Every structure is written in C-alpha cells, then in structure tokens.
Amino acid sequence: MTEPLAPPVRPPLAELDPELTWSDVAGTRVGVTSAGMYGRPRDDVTVLVAPGTAAALTTRSSAASAPCRWTRARVPGPCDAVVINAGNSNAATGPEGEAAVQRTAEAAARVLGTTPEAVLVCSTGVIGVPLPLDRLLPGVERAAGSLDADATRAAHAILTTDLVPKQAGARAGGLSVAGFAKGSGMIHPNMGTMLAFVATDAQVEAADLQKLLGEIADRTFNCVTVDGDTSTSDTLIVQATGKGLDARPGMPGRAELASALEAVCRELSRMIARDGEGAEHLLHVLIQGTESDAIAREAARAVCVSPLVKTAVYGRDPNWGRVVGALGKAGVAGLDVLDLDFAGVPVLRAGRPLDFDEAAASAALAQPEVTIHARLPGPGLGEAWGCDLTPGYVSINADYRS
Amino acid sequence: MTEPLAPPVRPPLAELDPELTWSDVAGTRVGVTSAGMYGRPRDDVTVLVAPGTAAALTTRSSAASAPCRWTRARVPGPCDAVVINAGNSNAATGPEGEAAVQRTAEAAARVLGTTPEAVLVCSTGVIGVPLPLDRLLPGVERAAGSLDADATRAAHAILTTDLVPKQAGARAGGLSVAGFAKGSGMIHPNMGTMLAFVATDAQVEAADLQKLLGEIADRTFNCVTVDGDTSTSDTLIVQATGKGLDARPGMPGRAELASALEAVCRELSRMIARDGEGAEHLLHVLIQGTESDAIAREAARAVCVSPLVKTAVYGRDPNWGRVVGALGKAGVAGLDVLDLDFAGVPVLRAGRPLDFDEAAASAALAQPEVTIHARLPGPGLGEAWGCDLTPGYVSINADYRS
C-alpha cells in the first residue's frame, strides 16, 4: 500500500476571521445603489471610500478596458475612493469609453470633495456597448452621497453570474485586512471579469504595497483559472488607510501585513475557483519540484486549465494519464520519475503506474474539493485553483440569450 | 451596410482528388488485421509499407510516448514501413514501453525482410497501461504477412473515438500525394492522439522532405485545435517512394510536391477539426495582419481554442466580444483599430462596434462551417481550425467509463 505524498512544509498564514469584512477596517465607508444598469432595480453601483494609498493589478489583456487603463495610470499612489459598476464593462468602446471613465471619476470626486485623480474606476459586464452615462452618473452621485452601506451589500452589488458573494478577512497582530471579490469565469452577457477589493488599516507606502501585492497575487489570484480566458477588466485593488499598525519594511507590522494579505487573497482566490461557472468541484493542483516556483505554478495552471483533467474530475474518473498529458504539454521536465496522487490516491511513483482501487479513487473524486498532487525533482513549489468542466459551463456560456 | 472583409489573396494549392488514397501511390502496400487490442475483434493493427525515405513530426509534449521517441530518432531517413496500433498508446509505461516498441519493430522487420531501424511505430489509446505484446506481436506479424488491404481499411483501423475516417489525395503534374488521419481531440479512454500518414511517389531526399513538411505542418496540422490539449503520441509521417517525378529542389516536380502536400495536409487538418469531439461546427479563424505569419497563426489559435468563443459558436451567438477578449489574452497589438467579421457578418470596424442584424448573424452561425475573420495592421497572415464546445464534448470526456 503506497502512502500518499506528504504536503509541503510552509510557514502558516494569518488565520481567517469570518466576521471581519472590508467595511470593518478602520477608515473605510461604503455607498451602494441601483443605477438600473441591468434595466431593472438591483444594486449595481458601489463606491468604496478609504482615504490613503492604493496599489492595484489590472488585466494583462491587450484589450484592457478603459477603466483598467485609468486605474493602471494612477496606482501605486494616493487614493480616496473606488467606483465600481456591474452590468457594462466599458471595454472595446473606443475614445467614448475613455471619456466615460473620466466623467465617472469626476461625478464621484465632486460629491466626495476630492479630485478625479484620487478616484479609481472598475466596470464589469457586457463589452462593446457604450456605458449608459445617463443612468450611471446619477447612480454614482447617489452612492457617493450616502455612504451608509456595508461590505456585504457591496459584495452582492458587484456580482454578475456569480452564485455567491465572496468575502474574507484576517487579523494579524493589531492589524486588519479584509476584502471581497467577484468572478466565476467569463460572465454573462459577454466578457467577464475578476474584481477584488481589499482594505487594510496598515501604514504602508503605495510603491511598497504595490510590490508586496504583486508577489502575493502571483501565488493567489494569478493561480486561479476557470476557463483559461482572460478578461478585459480584471482588477485587484488594495486600499490602505494607515489608521493602524506601521507595516513599512522593517517595522513590527510588516510580517503581519504580508501574512494577512496573503491569507485574504488566497481565500478569495479559492472562492472564485469554487464558484466557477457550472463548477461542481474546486480543483486544487499542487506541484512540488521543477526548477523554480514560477515554473511549478505554470505547470499547476496547465493541469488546472486542461479540459480533459476538468472533465475527468466532473466525471469522477481518476484519469491520471490526462494530468501527465497536461504536464507534458506544458513542457515539464522529469516526468519519467513523476510521483502523482489523484484526489489523495497514489497513482504513479517514479514514473511507474501503480495498481490502485478505482472505486476508492472515484469515491474520493466525489468530494467538493479535489487535489492533484505531483512531485518532481527540483526545489520549486506551485499551486493553482480551478474547477471541473461541466455541461453547466457550456449552457451558461452558450444558452444565456435563449 | 458595411461590406464583409475580402479574403486574402494566396497562390492556389493543388486540387484535391477524392478518388486518390494512400494505397494508390506507386510503391505502397498495406496490411491490416485485428489483434484484439480492444478486447473484441475489430481492425486495430496496420502496417504501411512504402520503401523509400520518410520524414515525420511528433508531439512536442515532454511526456512523448515511447513510439514517438523511437520514430523521432529515425527520421528523416530511409524507411520501409510504419506499424500502427490503436487501443493502447504505450505512453507513461516506463522502460518496459521502450522495449515493447523495439519488439514491435523487430516483429514487423522479420516478416518484411528488413531491419527494425527501417520500421517506424505509432500507438494510440489508453496511456499508463503496458502494451499487451502477447496480442500485439502476432497481430503485427499477421498484418505484415498479408499486405492485401487498402488505405480505406487502414483509415478505419486507426480510429478511436473519431466518427468518420479521414482521407485526402491530390495530384500535381505527374505526381501523387495522398494520406489519411485520425484524431478528434483527446480520445477514449485516456489520452488521445492525432495520427496522419501521407505517401508520395515523388523523388525527394529525406532531410529536404523533413524541412518542407515542417513548413507545411506549421500552416496546417499545427493550426488545428480541438481542446487545446496536446497528446503524448501525435505523429505525422510522410513516406516518399521515389517511383515518380523528381521533386528535389530546383527540379520540375518541386513546386508540385509542395502544392500537393500542403493541399493534402490542409484537408486532413480540416477533417480532424470538423470531427472534433462533440463538434457541431467547424470553426475557421483567419487573421490578416500582425507583424508576422507566426504571430497571426498564434492569434488564430488563441481565438480557436477559447472556450468562450467555442461555446458562443455552439450557441449560435454572434458574441464577438469574446473574440476581442481572446485576441487580447494573446497579447495581440492594434486591437483599437481591429476589423472583425463573425460568420461573414461585419461586427467591428477600426475598433468601433457596428450595428448588425443579430438574427441574420445567428442564422449565419447555423452553417456547418463558421469563419471568424479579423484584420489588423501588419503583413502577417494566419489561420486556425477548430470546433465548437458542446455538451457532447463534456459527456464524451466525462462519462465514457459509465
């Protein structure tokens, strides 16, 4: 009886606090309203006020939306507020799209008593359709004018085809980090988006926060794949109010900020994968080995995005050959000595297939979270999170206009 | 009313001859038998005899099967025969797999009166399962011992989940090129394979044929994507018997060989895409522009493999935003001035959305072949072929063990 592979040993992250939300962070306020972006009353405009500094990451798509380009041009740096609308991504909308972002930031700044440059903008929804400013701008003014909402309401207001809101918070030392996110693959009705908003009371400089965020996102949000596609609008924004612990490099709060920020980003990433369009399983791929963490992460993503691996998980089929195929496609070296566990069941050791109990493996695949764990020569360590590919994914993306 | 984009102007390829098959090429013979690889009687072992020279391309997967590694080590070069078995890919089988290929080549060589080094081997089917040599070797000897079959029978014998056999032939000048192929994505029961076998009577040197094949494959077989996955066993072999026209560089038959070989490779590629697992549409992506043909092909592949584009085509939804998203993900430059036709319907000009008749576009998407045509700045030209993503794909890949 072959033993399953031992998990890698890593320093623990800050513990999650299920009670802690974005609006519990000192120095934050939230406004939410309905601007009728969906042609019916539902919360669809959110204003997140957290005066301080901000860092952000936006999509790497060369078709990045106008709001992504606006945000990219202003971070890292000082930031007072973020305006978010669901229902229209303002992508592929030409020069008119640029002007619409400017007017959105101006409307919020006017009400909040700040400058448009201190306002970041995020949009999600249909692409290639002009933003209905006649509806949006009054909504932005209403939301900015009554900052009486909380993060839970905001976490609902940014959703599109997501089934559930996604929030996570963590405390470390005397310091708080909390956030919420949306995203479940590419989203009705056209292009989709991953949006995530995190607040912390830490004292941290914008450029430094940007660097830390980039490192953490590479291990968390950048390791989530639902369908391998990249949105025109993906945006992750962290706002730091500086009301709490000093977390500048070398200061006591530094380790706490890193630990809590990674814990929150990791949990939100897992929630996005679990809520993937049509998903019935959270797929977690762990690669120990390869030359570097970056190569191991790339390999983990390659397994996570493979339609054959994803359909095997949906079919509860311990079809490990497809994992080898995906690793091979990714050009991973050393597969002749690969160790592999599929849903906790050892299936391959030193490149040689093991006899294993198909029924037990299939039962293990019935669990809501399925881990594929590969071990190869080398010091690298990488993870990715995704979901299975189901008939639900196809119908969500093919049938929604019917 | 905006005019659809004009097709690119290209030199015509040799005309296809529906009557011309692999075994019609001078100097070829075929043996086919059942070795019971599927546990039931059906043709599953093929021997293709065409003494002369051979060129071949095999999978780029770092998990390449033992037969792929055997073939790779022997081409370009002299070749008498190719042995093919369906039902077991002999991949991820360790050192025993290497020995099994050796014995397969030896068995065929013994009967054909040649050396194992002059025999190439291809296997497709389940991976990670030792090849049942007790059944395979007698089958190889039977097939090699009675070379009384034709290419049509061989085209059936190599199929796995393919719905239809795939054959194409072309004559140019006095010269014949014909071939057959299998492949419809990753295939029951584990990893799948694209296999293609082409014969020509042209007089051509192996290294020269290898170079020509590489150039043509980059425009044909390497532009087919069903699910973005790469098999451990993909193999394309061209055998040249030298019984016909001199097609060495500078000789009269050279242009004919290039033209006929590309026509056959292109048609087989289209047939593979059309027969993609669960496919209801052949998806054809044509990119005019970008810096080079290679970049344009990469962009075409990116659109062709996008699950969102594929589900939109299945759903008959002229959801052009997803094409922009896929091009953006691929990092294509100049999308701000993109021209785009979706199923022949102009939807975008100079980066600005057009008003178009949704109903007409949806009707155009009901055609069995759907072309997405993008035009960007630059001299590049690239094409890719794929298929839509349907519930059938999911069930083929998830449910086959039930």
Side-chain angles (χ1 to χ4, degrees), chain A residues 170 362 387:
Chain A
S362 191
C387 59

Side-chain angles (χ1 to χ4, degrees), chain A residues 163-164 166 183-184 224-226 267-283 368-369 385-388:
Chain A
L163 298 180
V164 295
K166 302 164 183 71
S184 61
V224 174
T225 172
V226 168
E267 182 61 13
L268 291 174
S269 300
R270 289 168 50 87
M271 286 174 162
I272 288 169
R274 183 182 290 114
D275 196 24
E277 286 174 339
E280 298 187 6
H281 294 84
L282 171 65
L283 175 59
E369 177 167 351
W385 295 272
C387 59
D388 48 349

Side-chain angles (χ1 to χ4, degrees), chain B residues 134-176:
Chain B
D134 56 327
R135 278 178 279 152
L136 178 60
L137 295 184
V140 170
E141 286 164 0
R142 272 201 309 282
S146 59
L147 300 171
D148 53 5
D150 63 12
T152 300
R153 187 173 166 193
H156 281 90
I158 65 168
L159 300 183
T160 52
T161 55
D162 302 54
L163 298 180
V164 296
K166 303 164 183 69
Q167 298 194 77
R171 284 200 178 80
L175 177 149
S176 297

Side-chain angles (χ1 to χ4, degrees), chain A residues 60-89:
Chain A
R60 294 168 185 169
S61 170
S62 61
S65 68
C68 282
R69 295 198 298 275
W70 170 277
T71 292
R72 216 181 275 164
R74 282 157 184 77
V75 291
C79 173
D80 286 334
V82 177
V83 178
I84 311 146
N85 77 271
N88 184 312
S89 72

Side-chain angles (χ1 to χ4, degrees), chain A residues 62 186 228 308 319 329 332 400, chain B residues 186 190 228 308 319 329 400:
Chain A
S62 61
M186 295 303 192
L308 290 163
N319 207 335
K329 179 196 174 194
V332 172
Y400 51 70
Chain B
M186 294 302 190
N190 267 22
L308 290 163
N319 208 337
K329 179 196 173 194
Y400 51 70

Side-chain angles (χ1 to χ4, degrees), chain B residues 6-386:
Chain B
V9 182
R10 287 176 292 190
L13 299 176
E15 202 177 317
L16 294 169
D17 175 350
E19 300 305 313
L20 183 67
T21 73
W22 192 98
S23 50
D24 298 322
V25 174
T28 65
R29 295 182 71 190
V30 179
V32 175
T33 189
S34 171
M37 300 292 289
Y38 288 97
R40 62 182 196 279
R42 65 152 268 192
D43 286 345
D44 54 18
V45 171
T46 300
V47 176
L48 299 176
V49 178
T53 59
L57 298 171
T58 58
T59 182
R60 293 166 184 170
S61 170
S62 61
S65 68
C68 283
R69 295 197 299 275
W70 170 277
T71 292
R72 216 181 274 164
R74 282 157 184 78
V75 292
C79 172
D80 286 335
V82 177
V83 178
I84 311 146
N85 77 272
N88 183 313
S89 72
N90 189 19
T93 44
E96 296 76 8
E98 307 281 346
V101 176
Q102 173 83 37
R103 292 188 56 190
T104 302
E106 283 168 356
R110 213 165 29 242
V111 177
L112 297 171
T114 180
T115 63
E117 283 59 41
V119 178
L120 304 181
V121 180
C122 300
S123 298
T124 177
V126 61
I127 84 159
V129 175
L131 208 55
L133 287 174
D134 56 327
R135 278 178 279 152
L136 178 60
L137 295 184
V140 170
E141 286 164 0
R142 272 201 309 282
S146 59
L147 300 171
D148 53 5
D150 63 12
T152 300
R153 187 173 166 193
H156 281 90
I158 65 168
L159 300 183
T160 52
T161 55
D162 302 54
L163 298 180
V164 296
K166 303 164 183 69
Q167 298 194 77
R171 284 200 178 80
L175 177 149
S176 297
V177 177
F180 59 98
K182 69 156 289 241
S184 61
M186 294 302 190
I187 293 162
H188 174 98
N190 267 22
M191 291 296 299
T193 297
M194 190 283 291
L195 296 181
F197 306 97
V198 177
T200 177
D201 54 3
Q203 299 171 34
V204 57
E205 277 153 19
D208 175 36
L209 181 60
Q210 182 73 32
K211 183 170 172 300
L212 181 63
L213 182 63
E215 294 163 2
I216 289 173
D218 278 342
R219 292 192 293 269
T220 55
F221 289 106
N222 288 339
C223 294
V224 175
T225 173
V226 168
D227 53 19
D229 254 311
T230 301
S231 154
T232 54
S233 308
D234 293 330
T235 303
L236 161 64
I237 295 174
V238 178
Q239 293 165 268
T241 63
K243 304 278 188 203
L245 222 54
D246 188 338
R248 289 173 299 175
M251 302 308 287
R254 179 58 167 197
E256 281 72 11
L257 173 61
S259 164
L261 184 57
E262 181 153 358
V264 168
C265 289
R266 181 181 170 98
E267 182 61 13
L268 290 174
S269 300
R270 289 167 50 86
M271 287 174 162
I272 287 169
R274 183 181 290 114
D275 196 24
E277 286 173 339
E280 297 187 5
H281 294 83
L282 172 65
L283 174 59
H284 173 219
V285 178
L286 174 63
I287 308 281
Q288 282 178 278
T290 76
E291 298 85 327
S292 68
D293 291 355
I295 291 171
R297 282 195 298 265
E298 202 43 62
R301 274 192 291 261
V303 173
C304 228
V305 78
S306 162
L308 290 163
V309 172
K310 289 157 69 71
T311 47
V313 170
Y314 165 67
R316 300 185 181 179
D317 178 3
N319 208 337
W320 62 267
R322 295 177 173 182
V323 177
V324 177
L327 292 169
K329 179 196 173 194
V332 173
L335 294 177
D336 53 331
V337 295
L338 175 68
D339 295 328
L340 185 66
D341 288 3
F342 201 125
V345 177
V347 294
L348 199 69
R349 287 293 181 271
R352 283 202 165 79
L354 301 175
D355 287 326
F356 65 95
D357 181 339
E358 287 265 347
S362 190
L365 280 161
Q367 302 303 315
E369 178 167 350
V370 169
T371 295
I372 293 173
H373 186 172
R375 192 170 59 189
L376 288 156
L381 178 62
E383 284 179 292
W385 295 272

